Each structure stands twice: as C-alpha cells, then as structure tokens.
C-alpha cells in the first residue's frame, strides 16, 4: 500500500502534501498560484519514478537543522542545493541532523511509489 498526493487550497493559493499509508504528512509541496500549477509539480514528481531519490536532498536550514528539499534537478556533487534555476518541489516535514533527515527520504519515496492523487480543494 502506498501513500497519496493530496491537493489543498490554503486561502487563495494551492499546495500538495504527500501523505504516507498511515495518514502522516511526510512532504509539504511547494505553493502554486493555481491548481494546475500544483498538479504539474505532482506529475513531474511522478514522472521521475525511481530517479526521484536524486531530486531529494538534505539541506541545512536555520540553527544547523537539516530538512529534505525536493527540486526539479538531479543533486550532483558540488551543487548541494545551490542551483538557481531549479524548480522547487517542496520540503520534507522532518527536521534534525543530516543523518536523521536522510533516513526520512525512504519514507517519502515509499509514499510516492504508486501514490494516487486526491483533490481536497472542493473545486
């Protein structure tokens, strides 16, 4: 059993969550101005297939705390999340040391594998 992509409307913007099979949000998708923009990001993530792992990387945030960031480029040696033209896909919900958040990458990948898309916008 896999997770699902849940499209939500937050005020006047849209975003998606990736929810695992237990109903826990493991990834918060990037905000889009339209539902179509968010749907395109979901389709992009789904199109990566097994290569999705290369689009998720641990990046350092405030106070030496790391999170998983998803981008529409392959993480390559030396880039380390500093690619100016990458399309942001969102962030993992776990925070901690680099090693701790890298462990959550598997949960995100498992939730995405064969995930369905659920529209909760009411539109």
């Amino acid at each position: 059993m896999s997770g699902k992509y849940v499209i939500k409307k937050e005020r006047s913007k849209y975003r998606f969550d990736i929810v695992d099979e237990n109903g826990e949000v493991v990834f918060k998708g990037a905000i889009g101005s339209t539902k179509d923009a968010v749907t395109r990001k979901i389709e992009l993530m789904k199109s990566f297939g097994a290569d999705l792992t290369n689009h998720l990387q641990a990046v350092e945030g405030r106070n030496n705390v790391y999170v998983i960031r998803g981008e529409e480029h392959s993480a390559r040696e030396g880039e380390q999340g500093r690619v100016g033209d990458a399309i942001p896909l969102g962030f993992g919900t776990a925070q901690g040391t680099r090693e701790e958040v890298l462990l959550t990458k598997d949960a995100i990948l498992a939730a995405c594998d064969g995930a369905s898309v659920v529209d909760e916008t009411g539109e």
Side-chain angles (χ1 to χ4, degrees):
M1 188 169 146
S2 61
K4 57 187 171 181
Y5 294 90
V6 180
I7 303 172
K8 297 181 175 208
K9 186 171 185 180
E10 297 178 356
R11 296 184 191 97
S12 63
K13 303 289 183 185
Y14 298 84
R15 92 170 327 149
F16 67 94
D17 293 336
I18 298 176
V19 180
D20 68 8
E21 62 186 20
N22 298 321
E24 183 179 336
V25 175
V26 294
F27 189 87
K28 299 287 280 181
I31 293 174
S33 57
T34 65
K35 186 165 56 169
D36 286 340
V38 170
T39 303
R40 281 192 302 271
K41 288 182 182 185
I42 292 171
E43 293 304 319
L44 182 62
M45 287 185 75
K46 291 175 88 173
S47 74
F48 293 145
D51 192 44
L52 179 58
T53 188
N54 294 326
H55 297 270
L56 302 174
Q57 58 186 320
V59 293
E60 187 174 5
R62 295 184 191 140
N63 303 321
N64 298 326
V65 175
Y66 284 80
V67 299
I68 294 291
R69 178 170 65 193
E71 292 181 340
E72 183 282 326
H73 73 82
S74 295
R76 293 182 295 271
E77 188 65 34
E79 289 179 349
Q80 300 301 312
R82 295 182 194 90
V83 178
D85 62 350
I87 297 171
L89 299 174
F91 291 90
T93 55
Q95 298 180 7
T97 66
R98 180 177 173 81
E99 293 74 26
E100 289 170 340
V101 298
L102 283 174
L103 293 175
T104 66
K105 196 172 167 180
D106 290 337
I108 296 168
L109 294 169
C112 291
D113 185 33
S116 60
V117 179
V118 178
D119 183 348
E120 292 185 356
T121 62
E123 298 177 352

